[in-house]
């Protein structure tokens, strides 16, 4: 069994793969102060309720954009799973040619999404990952990672709005009943929801102009379904895209 970890700024998504099949997945908060022992015990405790045998874990692959926890996760893998984890980076054999000006600056999650998007849907394609930030990753028809865009995610916008104003409340990010809010909470939700969709569609419109109308548009991340419901350009939602990309990279390198 393979453990795939996608360590983001807000959450760590974990997938357990039996061959190419995603047997189970979990989402945990990214806690910088968590020790290797705490991570190890936490992962051990996830396996039994899922009906999985932790002794069958033979490998671990990690994409991380949180460098302070990398050494902790590596030690956890060695101590609790008796394996040396594989960290994804620009030097990893991805099957993509990286055309970024400075390849080492590309977030591992962006590379993984590019691998999964191209291998599952073909190129050209653009993957929109809705997390703490909103990442746009563009892959050519010739398997080239071209780059993309990074924008502020709705969670950051909500926190900024709450912290920088005296009277506006902190609200949930959700699809409002109407674009015209009739109270403060509804007005904030309308502005955030339709503002986020407008930004995403505005960037996608320009990407499609550049790459051509045959370009596939795929959304992933925790809020992908919510955003895709209002988007004019997102055609596919793939919840497990990043984890599947990690499995593809592992398989390619082993």
């Amino acid at each position: 069994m393979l453990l795939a970890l996608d360590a983001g700024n807000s959450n760590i998504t974990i997938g357990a793969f039996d061959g190419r099949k995603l047997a189970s997945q979990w989402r945990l908060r990214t806690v910088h102060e968590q020790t290797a022992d705490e991570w190890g015990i936490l992962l051990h405790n996830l396996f039994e309720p899922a009906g999985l045998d932790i002794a069958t874990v033979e490998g671990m692959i990690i994409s991380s954009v949180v460098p302070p926890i990398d050494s902790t996760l590596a030690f956890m893998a060695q101590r609790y799973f008796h394996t040396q984890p594989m960290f994804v980076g620009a030097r990893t054999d991805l099957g993509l040619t990286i055309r970024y000006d400075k390849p080492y600056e590309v977030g591992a999650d962006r590379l993984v999404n590019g691998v999964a998007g191209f291998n599952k849907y073909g190129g050209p394609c653009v993957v929109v990952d809705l997390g703490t930030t909103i990442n746009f990753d563009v892959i050519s028809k010739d398997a080239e990672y071209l780059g993309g865009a990074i924008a502020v995610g709705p969670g950051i916008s909500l926190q900024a709005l709450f912290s920088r104003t005296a009277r506006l409340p902190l609200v949930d990010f959700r699809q409002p009943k109407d674009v015209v809010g009739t109270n403060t909470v509804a007005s904030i939700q309308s502005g955030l929801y339709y503002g986020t969709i407008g930004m995403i569609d505005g960037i996608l419109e320009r990407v499609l102009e550049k790459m051509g109308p045959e370009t596939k548009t795929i959304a992933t991340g925790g809020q992908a379904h919510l955003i895709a419901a209002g988007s004019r350009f997102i055609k596919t939602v793939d919840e497990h895209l990043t984890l599947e990309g990690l499995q593809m990279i592992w398989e390619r390198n082993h």
Side-chain angles (χ1 to χ4, degrees), residues 165-211:
T165 57
R167 299 185 62 184
L168 295 182
L170 187 63
V171 303
D172 294 330
F173 181 73
R174 63 176 62 182
Q175 184 173 3
K177 294 180 180 179
D178 196 300
V179 67
V180 180
T182 56
N183 55 66
T184 301
V185 169
S187 297
I188 294 172
Q189 288 174 334
S190 176
L192 285 166
Y193 180 77
Y194 291 110
T196 300
I197 289 174
M199 178 269 293
I200 290 172
D201 279 357
I203 292 175
L204 286 178
E205 184 175 18
R206 286 163 174 78
V207 170
L208 293 173
E209 287 176 0
K210 175 182 176 65
M211 301 301 296

Side-chain angles (χ1 to χ4, degrees), residues 1-3 14 16-17 26 37-60 76-77 79-83:
M1 184 171 289
L2 171 69
L3 271 186
I14 303 162
F17 283 88
W26 307 273
D37 290 328
E38 288 171 328
W39 281 119
I41 292 169
L42 190 55
L43 288 181
H44 267 252
N45 290 340
L46 294 174
F47 265 62
E48 187 175 349
L52 301 175
D53 182 4
I54 205 161
T56 63
V57 174
E58 298 177 339
M60 185 180 298
M76 174 271 295
R79 180 165 186 173
Y80 285 89
F81 296 92
H82 311 292
T83 185

Side-chain angles (χ1 to χ4, degrees), residues 73-214:
L73 293 177
F75 184 59
M76 174 271 295
Q78 296 162 12
R79 180 165 186 173
Y80 285 89
F81 296 92
H82 311 292
T83 185
Q84 185 70 33
M86 175 183 176
F87 282 86
V88 176
R91 294 184 178 180
T92 305
D93 180 5
L94 304 171
L96 299 179
T97 301
I98 302 174
R99 299 300 187 194
Y100 220 59
D101 293 341
K102 298 178 180 179
Y104 61 87
E105 289 184 351
V106 187
D109 56 337
R110 299 182 68 190
L111 296 174
V112 172
N113 284 339
V115 169
F118 181 80
N119 282 284
K120 288 191 71 175
Y121 301 99
C125 67
V126 53
V127 177
V128 184
D129 190 351
L130 293 113
T132 304
T133 59
I134 300 176
N135 296 337
F136 300 77
D137 298 303
V138 181
I139 315 299
S140 76
K141 62 181 179 60
D142 299 317
E144 300 167 302
Y145 180 88
L146 301 178
I150 301 173
V152 174
I156 295 177
S157 298
L158 278 168
Q159 289 292 338
L161 196 63
F162 174 68
S163 63
R164 297 298 297 270
T165 57
R167 299 185 62 184
L168 295 182
L170 187 63
V171 303
D172 294 330
F173 181 73
R174 63 176 62 182
Q175 184 173 3
K177 294 180 180 179
D178 196 300
V179 67
V180 180
T182 56
N183 55 66
T184 301
V185 169
S187 297
I188 294 172
Q189 288 174 334
S190 176
L192 285 166
Y193 180 77
Y194 291 110
T196 300
I197 289 174
M199 178 269 293
I200 290 172
D201 279 357
I203 292 175
L204 286 178
E205 184 175 18
R206 286 163 174 78
V207 170
L208 293 173
E209 287 176 0
K210 175 182 176 65
M211 301 301 296
E214 73 279 9

